[in-house]
Amino acid sequence: YSDANVDINAKLAFTSQTFLGWEDAFQGRFSQKWQALSSDKNWARPVLTELMNWGRACWTNRCTHLFGERKDQYRLRRHCLHLQVKIWYESPRTQALVNRTNFPDRASILHRNNEGIARWLDQQHGDRESMRNRARQTTGQLTMDQFMGTTVTRRHQN
């Protein structure tokens, strides 16, 4: 182990535990070398705390390498949400299918946190879907075109 930040006793304890097996450690059977890390008789608690912190640091490091920093994720997600809000406010009326007169001021939407913006967008998608469903329902009434038929059928009937 070349990490100068790790104490030699910790390296020895880690090696010893690796030899014994980490599954045993997770069941409470530790190498006796861990005792050298603490002068306290209750050595297990600080060792377990250190192992949990180390595990959390490893996991955080892994996630950072795979997915990037949290701030960047939040910023990127926010940018995507802002673009979606812009589409809802600026799309042609025929594509929106919702009544925009009931929309709140755009700035009030954009000042919300990401969850708030996402909830608003979900609500708009739900409203649009219900409007689509209502538009698809047939009432049994015929339009004039349906009543009159196509040009070919009208000529044939005359």
Side-chain angles (χ1 to χ4, degrees):
Y1 305 104
S2 61
D3 191 351
N5 296 326
V6 179
D7 183 52
I8 188 68
N9 289 333
K11 291 178 185 178
L12 291 173
F14 185 87
T15 304
S16 177
Q17 191 66 55
T18 301
F19 179 73
L20 293 173
W22 284 99
E23 292 83 13
D24 290 338
F26 295 128
Q27 294 176 5
R29 294 185 291 270
F30 292 98
S31 166
Q32 293 179 349
K33 303 259 186 205
W34 290 111
Q35 284 180 318
L37 295 177
S38 177
S39 60
D40 190 5
K41 289 187 181 195
N42 296 325
W43 62 271
R45 185 178 187 98
V47 168
L48 286 173
T49 302
E50 194 59 36
L51 285 174
M52 286 191 303
N53 289 338
W54 174 71
R56 183 173 290 139
C58 288
W59 185 257
T60 302
N61 187 36
R62 171 205 172 271
C63 291
T64 300
H65 283 299
L66 288 177
F67 307 113
E69 292 288 331
R70 271 192 194 169
K71 288 181 182 178
D72 290 340
Q73 284 181 332
Y74 184 84
R75 186 185 50 76
L76 182 61
R77 176 77 174 131
R78 187 164 189 81
H79 178 69
C80 290
L81 290 170
H82 279 220
L83 289 176
Q84 290 179 39
V85 169
K86 179 181 177 184
I87 289 169
W88 276 95
Y89 274 89
E90 296 177 5
S91 64
R93 169 131 173 68
T94 56
Q95 293 177 8
L97 283 178
V98 292
N99 187 1
R100 280 187 270 201
T101 57
N102 297 332
F103 278 11
D105 183 44
R106 186 188 310 198
S108 70
I109 299 295
L110 297 177
H111 286 336
R112 296 178 185 180
N113 62 16
N114 285 1
E115 269 309 301
I117 296 172
R119 277 193 304 270
W120 183 83
L121 288 168
D122 287 343
Q123 178 185 1
Q124 300 317 308
H125 285 287
D127 291 349
R128 182 172 66 178
E129 190 60 32
S130 68
M131 298 246 328
R132 277 186 180 154
N133 290 338
R134 275 186 262 148
R136 288 184 193 135
Q137 289 178 347
T138 57
T139 60
Q141 295 179 344
L142 297 176
T143 63
M144 284 302 286
D145 289 336
Q146 291 170 333
F147 178 74
M148 297 298 289
T150 63
T151 308
V152 174
T153 56
R154 279 197 312 266
R155 284 187 188 153
H156 183 57
Q157 289 173 354
N158 291 335

